[in-house]
């Protein structure tokens, strides 16, 4: 039994925050942001929107593309760093909003690698025959955990959601998945605050050592791509589309260059979305599917790295 992506969907909040808007908020400039990150704008959720709201829109699109109803969903996995609440899980809340009662539903927390982790997990359920259709979602509202006075982080992130339906297939779709983590880097990229006694303890905003993140990301993203292609007796040149986590254009370019993959085979959305963490890969995938870039039988490689550190890749045939 194999699993194959049968539908994709995405959602971006209506509000757009440009670099020029940020110039009025913190000491920064459009030129500085574009040069160092490649970002020109990002989408920001409304105050009353939650991660499950964004996920709902993306999920409905994916289900429509896959031509399935809520009753056909056997599993829901949501990758998010910004859940609706401490508990229940955002996946359970999404399940209720979709009317997909009684199927298993849980969250995965691997930060920017979350969607890769969630997709790999769903593949195990389907390929083992435990379920027929899995809804896999990445959804984030990072605007709620940003210090808007910190120019080193507030310019980087945006909000959004992406979703896929993963279904049983007689033909291979997901060829392999490769997941890694190293908790020794926990202080390099984190939100170290927590709730205790009804109050926030510690720093509730994103803390990041940018230089360390950059060097680590470029190294492990190259390594995990090579791991994926070597396991499948391929080379990086065989990949039709590389869809990386959209963190920073310099990381994306450096990784592609080290792998010898031309940029015209890399899906890039960071310029319009910013870093949407677990939502970035499924957002980019949905855009590339809808604009016709990705064709049947092409090899697509998804890769991500996030706080933890966590990192991983999924190689699939479309």
């Amino acid at each position: 039994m194999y699993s194959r992506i049968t539908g994709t969907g995405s959602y971006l909040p209506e509000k757009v925050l440009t670099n020029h808007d940020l110039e009025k908020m913190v000491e920064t400039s459009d030129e500085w942001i574009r040069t160092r990150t490649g970002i020109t704008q990002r989408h920001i959720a409304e105050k009353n929107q939650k991660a499950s709201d964004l996920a709902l829109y993306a999920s409905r699109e994916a289900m429509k593309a896959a031509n399935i109803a809520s009753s056909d969903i056997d599993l829901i996995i949501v990758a998010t760093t910004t859940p609706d609440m401490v508990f229940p899980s955002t996946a359970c809340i999404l399940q209720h909003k979709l009317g997909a009662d009684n199927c298993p539903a849980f969250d995965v927390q691997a930060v920017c690698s979350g969607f890769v982790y969630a997709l790999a997990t769903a593949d195990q359920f389907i390929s083992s025959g435990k379920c027929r259709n899995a809804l896999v979602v990445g959804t984030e509202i990072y605007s709620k955990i940003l210090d808007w006075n910190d120019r080193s982080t507030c310019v980087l992130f945006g909000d959004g959601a992406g979703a896929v339906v993963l279904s049983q297939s007689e033909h291979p779709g997901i060829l392999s998945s490769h997941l890694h983590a190293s908790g020794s880097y926990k202080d390099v990229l984190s939100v170290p605050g927590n709730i205790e006694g009804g109050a926030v303890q510690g720093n509730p905003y994103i803390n990041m050592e940018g230089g360390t993140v950059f060097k680590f990301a470029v190294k492990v993203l190259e390594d995990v791509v090579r791991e994926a292609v070597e396991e499948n007796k391929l080379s990086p040149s065989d990949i039709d589309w590389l869809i990386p986590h959209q963190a920073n254009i310099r990381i994306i370019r450096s990784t592609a260059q080290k792998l010898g993959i031309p940029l015209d085979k890399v899906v890039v959305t960071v310029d319009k979305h910013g870093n949407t963490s677990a939502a970035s890969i499924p957002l980019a995938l949905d855009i590339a599917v809808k604009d016709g870039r990705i064709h049947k039988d092409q090899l697509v490689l998804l890769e991500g790295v996030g706080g933890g550190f966590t990192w991983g890749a999924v190689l699939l045939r479309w």
Side-chain angles (χ1 to χ4, degrees), residues 11-18 25 41-57 80 82-84 97 139-146 148 154 157-161 272-276 279 283:
Y11 175 77
L12 292 163
E14 291 184 10
K15 182 180 178 180
V16 174
L17 187 70
T18 68
M25 298 167 59
Q41 66 173 48
R42 69 286 293 149
H43 291 253
I44 304 296
E46 298 295 334
K47 287 187 177 181
N48 63 343
Q49 285 186 306
K50 297 186 179 298
S52 65
D53 296 322
L54 276 57
L56 180 62
Y57 289 113
T80 186
T82 55
D84 287 19
K97 290 180 177 181
T139 181
E140 302 282 17
I141 303 184
Y142 260 55
S143 58
K144 294 186 178 181
I145 56 171
L146 289 175
W148 289 99
C154 74
F157 297 91
D159 304 335
K272 301 297 185 184
H273 299 171
N275 182 345
T276 56
L283 270 167

Side-chain angles (χ1 to χ4, degrees), residues 112-113 116 178 180 213-229 236 239 242-256 258-259 261 281 301-306 309-314:
C112 302
S113 305
V116 169
H178 310 266
H180 301 275
V213 172
F214 181 91
K215 293 174 184 177
F216 187 89
V218 172
K219 180 185 184 303
V220 299
L221 289 176
E222 177 192 1
D223 290 346
V224 80
V225 169
R226 294 194 185 279
E227 178 185 347
V229 295
I239 298 171
L242 177 66
I243 305 182
H245 165 52
Q246 307 289 314
N248 182 306
I249 192 62
R250 292 188 299 145
I251 294 175
I252 294 171
R253 286 173 177 166
S254 296
T255 304
K258 286 177 176 291
L259 292 166
I261 298 175
I281 292 174
L301 199 147
L302 316 177
E303 59 164 1
V305 58
F309 280 121
T310 64
W311 65 100
V314 171

Side-chain angles (χ1 to χ4, degrees), residues 105-239:
F106 57 89
D107 288 357
V108 167
Q109 163 56 304
V111 200
C112 302
S113 305
F115 181 78
V116 169
Y117 267 64
L119 192 63
T121 302
D123 172 56
Q124 295 300 311
F125 275 86
I126 290 178
S127 59
S128 65
K130 295 294 185 183
C131 69
R132 298 163 301 154
N133 297 300
L135 178 64
V136 185
V137 187
T139 181
E140 302 282 17
I141 303 184
Y142 260 55
S143 58
K144 294 186 178 181
I145 56 171
L146 289 175
D147 179 353
W148 289 99
N149 295 309
D150 180 3
R151 66 176 183 172
S152 67
T153 57
C154 74
V155 302
L156 302 177
F157 297 91
D159 304 335
V164 303
V165 172
L166 196 66
S167 303
Q168 281 185 351
S169 172
E170 295 180 357
H171 306 287
I174 291 184
L175 303 179
S176 65
S177 58
H178 310 266
L179 305 179
H180 301 275
S182 179
S184 62
Y185 292 92
K186 66 181 179 61
D187 297 323
V188 174
L189 177 57
S190 64
V191 177
N194 60 79
I195 298 174
E196 183 178 331
V200 175
Q201 303 294 322
N203 178 19
Y205 300 119
I206 292 174
N207 173 69
M208 182 174 67
E209 297 176 19
T212 304
V213 172
F214 181 91
K215 293 174 184 177
F216 187 89
V218 172
K219 180 185 184 303
V220 299
L221 289 176
E222 177 192 1
D223 290 346
V224 80
V225 169
R226 294 194 185 279
E227 178 185 347
V229 295
E230 287 171 9
E231 180 168 310
N232 291 276
K233 296 180 172 56
L234 300 166
S235 69
S237 61
D238 294 315
I239 298 171

